[in-house]
């Protein structure tokens, strides 16, 4: 929910014509593969510098700068499904931002 909310509030709200949020998912079938959900908007996007700051923020220790929903989702995925899980942030294919939620396919977690 926080990822889609961010796409609408920060990605599309500046666009007078509205916009599009696309959500797709992929299920992993083999151990070692990752399940993923991709949330992509066609909003105004970010500069490389802004994207870099956001990526960096995802991995800082809990504190005043970590009060975002994205940080919370990223950390929860890592703690629940292990290293290699979490958020991947990219420039969107049609401007905007692309956020990939990924988590490990492991029988240990009943995936």
């Amino acid at each position: 929910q926080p990822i889609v909310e961010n796409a609408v509030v920060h990605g599309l709200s500046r666009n007078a014509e509205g916009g599009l949020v696309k959500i797709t998912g992929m299920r992993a079938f083999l151990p070692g593969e990752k399940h993923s959900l991709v949330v992509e908007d066609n909003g105004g996007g970010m500069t490389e510098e802004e994207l870099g700051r956001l990526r960096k923020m995802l991995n800082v220790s809990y504190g005043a700068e970590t009060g975002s929903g994205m940080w919370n989702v990223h950390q929860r995925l890592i703690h629940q499904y292990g290293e290699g899980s979490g958020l991947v942030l990219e420039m969107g294919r049609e401007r905007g931002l692309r956020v990939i939620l990924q988590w490990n396919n492991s029988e240990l977690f009943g995936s």
Side-chain angles (χ1 to χ4, degrees):
Q1 181 271 336
I3 307 306
V4 175
E5 181 180 335
N6 280 352
V8 173
V9 172
H10 300 292
L12 304 181
S13 66
R14 298 179 210 147
N15 187 347
E17 295 93 39
L20 177 69
V21 175
K22 181 178 176 183
I23 303 170
T24 55
M26 292 179 43
R27 180 173 182 221
F29 291 99
L30 300 173
E33 292 181 337
K34 292 182 179 12
H35 300 290
S36 64
L37 285 173
V38 180
V39 179
E40 187 169 5
D41 68 72
N42 65 350
M46 308 176 116
T47 66
E48 283 292 338
E49 185 178 293
E50 291 169 326
L51 188 56
R53 280 195 304 268
L54 189 54
R55 286 176 177 145
K56 197 173 189 179
M57 179 275 305
L58 292 177
N59 294 302
V60 299
S61 298
Y62 183 77
E65 298 164 11
T66 59
S68 81
M70 289 184 89
W71 180 87
N72 193 10
V73 170
H74 180 69
Q75 295 299 320
R76 284 176 179 233
L77 286 168
I78 292 170
H79 291 296
Q80 180 70 36
Y81 298 102
E83 203 62 39
S85 299
L87 300 181
V88 176
L89 308 176
E90 302 175 344
M91 295 290 197
R93 293 181 182 156
E94 299 179 38
R95 300 178 302 157
L97 182 65
R98 181 180 177 157
V99 179
I100 304 166
L101 295 86
Q102 62 184 21
W103 59 99
N104 295 314
N105 181 22
S106 170
E107 294 194 26
L108 175 66
F109 299 111
S111 299

